[in-house]
Amino acid sequence: MSIATVNPANGETVKTYQAMGEEEIERRLQLAEATFRTYRTTGFDERAALMRRAADLLDEDQRDIARVITTEMGKPVKQARAEAAKCAKAMRWYADHAARLLADEEPADADVRDSGASRALVRYRPVGPVLAVMPWNFPLWQVIRFAAPALMAGNVGLLKHASNVPQTALYLEDLFHRAGFTEGTFQTLLVGSGAVDDILRDERVKAATLTGSEPAGRAVAATAGEMIKKTVLELGGSDPFIVMPSADLDRAAEVAVNARCQNAGQSCIAAKRFIVHTEVYDAFAERFTEGMRALVMGDPLDEDTEIGPLSSERGRADLEELVDDAVRGGASVLCGGERPDRPGWYYPPTVLAGIGREMRVHREEAFGPVATLYRAGDLDEAVLIANDTLFGLSSNVWTREEAEVDRFVRDLEAGGVYVNGMTASHPAFPFGGVKRSGYGRELSGHGIREFCNITTVWHGA
């Protein structure tokens, strides 16, 4: 199993790592179990001080860790710095709010009396070591949005990161250790995907969270189900971006470009299917295609670069197969669609029109800067197209008509509906999907309670 930093801008191997053996994995599981016994008894003030210190260190490290991220997975360095800043913000948010979010809850007096109790309450207690299986596309953020709430709740974390971002994975362990968290509170496991099943089956691991592909989610869910362990899964997405006649077309097209191509389009919550009312279809398509064509593709360490390489050669090949299949099926290419003649795993911003239901790109997630355009005759057809997917992560709606907003919020099958704006995660709001996009929620109070033992405490009269 290769655990290595391979620069996607040129294909060169920068650094390789030896996967941890069974003995080291066992040592770390023992340490996690032992650490949890003590860490679970710490107070929110102590945890918050440590979390704020970790956020401060991340701010200090921002430029250096951003360059590591860019070298490992190709994100433009400006976006990598923004990712680090977002992580520090989330860490401080949970440091500030965890005590309130997990405070004891007192049922209504009438319900307490009706139960025959003199007093009753609900308490949130940590569950123990939680395994996090995380992806490469947001290598800091995906981890922090799990780690900040989990650690603030009193759990300890075990990180199995994607094998192409080992330096980022090791940095995260070091970050929490430098902040003052004891050694076993957050540990990185440098292992391949084949080791996940045995680790999850270990009785010392109490729960798991995974962000990644549908096959990976199925595998983790199957094992966790067999072992009766709680999981949170955030899987793929094929989010609709619906544009109605009343929309601000200039603004919608501008946001659509960023919504499709941030992180070179390698995002589960990126808008991927652009469903436009026939009255404004041509005008939107022209503006959107112009914006996609104008993006600057280049060295991700260059401050002016807007589109870097895809993370892997395999990822680019998968994207090309989807585009080629669509073209063979009759789709038209409004821009892009051809691999550039340069080193590295680059693919240009691409817009496809005339999409049919039989095309793979209609059914499968395009994980790269490829957008599909659909024409809808009315709101009902827009909803039908939007829901004609196995995924249901988020959605975007552009309209000034409140009645239309109400319909979309009621009828779209997704974990989020963003009106006149781009889907983005924020620590205060729950994040997650439905259908094959997974289950459970991250972030907000909902996220911090996912890995808590919700305990009823009842006192007799």
Side-chain angles (χ1 to χ4, degrees):
M1 176 63 202
S2 174
I3 298 178
T5 297
V6 180
N7 189 339
N10 54 31
E12 295 179 0
T13 300
V14 177
K15 197 168 185 178
T16 59
Y17 294 83
Q18 185 68 37
M20 292 176 180
E22 292 182 6
E23 188 174 305
E24 178 61 12
I25 294 171
E26 172 61 23
R27 185 188 74 82
R28 288 175 176 252
L29 288 173
Q30 289 181 12
L31 182 59
E33 182 183 45
T35 300
F36 174 65
R37 294 193 200 106
T38 302
Y39 183 68
R40 66 188 297 273
T41 66
T42 59
F44 286 111
D45 288 346
E46 180 179 347
R47 297 174 202 163
L50 294 170
M51 191 62 68
R52 292 188 185 99
R53 175 58 179 156
D56 291 343
L57 290 171
L58 181 54
D59 281 339
E60 294 172 12
D61 297 342
Q62 184 184 112
R63 298 191 71 85
D64 290 339
I65 189 57
R67 291 184 68 86
V68 170
I69 291 171
T70 297
T71 301
E72 290 204 300
M73 52 71 62
K75 186 191 303 286
V77 71
K78 287 196 296 187
Q79 294 180 24
R81 289 199 301 270
E83 180 178 341
K86 182 175 183 177
C87 289
K89 175 181 178 179
M91 294 160 84
R92 294 188 178 100
W93 191 88
Y94 274 108
D96 292 343
H97 296 284
R100 174 182 61 81
L101 295 171
L102 298 182
D104 290 349
E105 296 178 3
E106 301 277 354
D109 290 342
D111 292 329
V112 172
R113 292 191 300 270
D114 184 64
S115 74
S118 61
R119 182 180 175 229
L121 60 87
V122 176
R123 177 162 293 173
Y124 295 94
R125 299 187 293 160
V127 295
V130 180
L131 174 65
V133 182
M134 293 289 110
W136 48 263
N137 55 338
F138 291 89
L140 278 184
W141 173 242
Q142 304 281 11
V143 178
I144 292 300
R145 76 184 193 189
F146 144 74
L151 268 57
M152 283 304 303
N155 297 300
V156 301
L158 294 163
L159 169 65
K160 188 286 179 211
H161 217 325
S163 294
N164 62 330
V165 290
Q167 293 185 70
T168 306
L170 292 170
Y171 167 81
L172 285 159
E173 178 180 88
D174 182 63
L175 173 69
F176 286 111
H177 192 230
R178 284 188 290 138
F181 288 93
T182 53
E183 182 185 3
T185 310
F186 185 93
Q187 299 179 84
T188 287
L189 305 177
L190 278 188
V191 297
S193 57
V196 170
D197 190 74
D198 285 343
I199 294 169
L200 184 52
R201 289 179 183 278
D202 193 290
E203 292 294 346
R204 290 165 293 192
V205 175
K206 301 305 182 184
T209 179
L210 177 141
T211 298
S213 68
E214 184 183 338
R218 287 179 183 275
V220 166
T223 298
E226 182 181 344
M227 301 303 295
I228 320 297
K229 294 183 180 181
K230 174 73 176 289
T231 54
V232 171
L233 302 181
E234 193 262 277
L235 308 178
S238 190
D239 291 3
F241 189 105
I242 301 171
V243 182
M244 298 299 286
S246 65
D248 179 337
L249 290 188
D250 290 332
R251 180 60 180 158
E254 178 186 358
V255 172
V257 171
N258 190 33
R260 174 64 285 221
C261 290
Q262 185 184 38
N263 196 29
Q266 300 169 117
S267 171
C268 295
I269 59 169
K272 298 182 176 76
R273 297 175 298 131
F274 295 82
I275 303 162
V276 187
H277 193 284
T278 189
E279 290 183 19
V280 291
Y281 178 91
D282 291 337
F284 176 85
E286 180 181 2
R287 289 166 170 81
F288 179 49
T289 303
E290 287 177 358
M292 293 282 280
R293 190 183 290 117
L295 290 172
V296 177
M297 185 169 62
D299 181 352
L301 289 172
D302 189 322
E303 293 288 337
D304 294 327
T305 292
E306 295 171 301
I307 292 282
L310 299 185
S311 70
S312 69
E313 191 170 15
R314 179 68 257 173
R316 181 174 66 177
D318 290 343
L319 198 64
E320 286 178 316
E321 290 174 9
L322 289 180
V323 172
D324 292 345
D325 174 79
V327 172
R328 287 194 300 270
S332 56
V333 180
L334 303 188
C335 71
E338 293 186 4
R339 177 192 298 195
D341 183 16
R342 61 182 299 166
W345 301 315
Y346 290 87
Y347 196 82
T350 298
V351 179
L352 302 175
I355 304 301
R357 295 188 76 249
E358 72 285 353
M359 297 175 187
R360 287 180 57 200
V361 76
H362 176 77
R363 303 187 308 273
E364 302 175 27
E365 179 180 23
F367 216 62
V370 172
T372 52
L373 275 173
Y374 296 79
R375 188 189 296 266
D378 55 23
L379 184 148
D380 290 333
E381 187 177 11
V383 170
L384 285 173
I385 297 171
N387 289 340
D388 187 24
T389 175
L390 295 173
F391 300 107
L393 195 52
S394 190
S395 60
N396 308 259
V397 173
W398 288 77
T399 177
R400 292 189 177 101
E401 301 291 334
E402 283 302 316
E404 291 180 347
V405 172
D406 290 342
R407 278 286 313 279
F408 285 125
V409 171
R410 187 191 74 182
D411 294 341
L412 288 176
E413 298 167 352
V417 180
Y418 285 70
V419 181
N420 296 328
M422 180 178 119
T423 296
S425 52
H426 185 284
F429 305 123
F431 181 85
V434 296
K435 300 196 286 190
R436 293 192 186 176
S437 288
Y439 52 74
R441 290 295 179 266
E442 296 178 289
L443 303 176
S444 77
H446 298 277
I448 198 172
R449 297 184 193 110
E450 286 282 8
F451 296 117
C452 286
N453 176 359
I454 304 173
T455 308
T456 297
V457 181
W458 186 94
H459 295 262

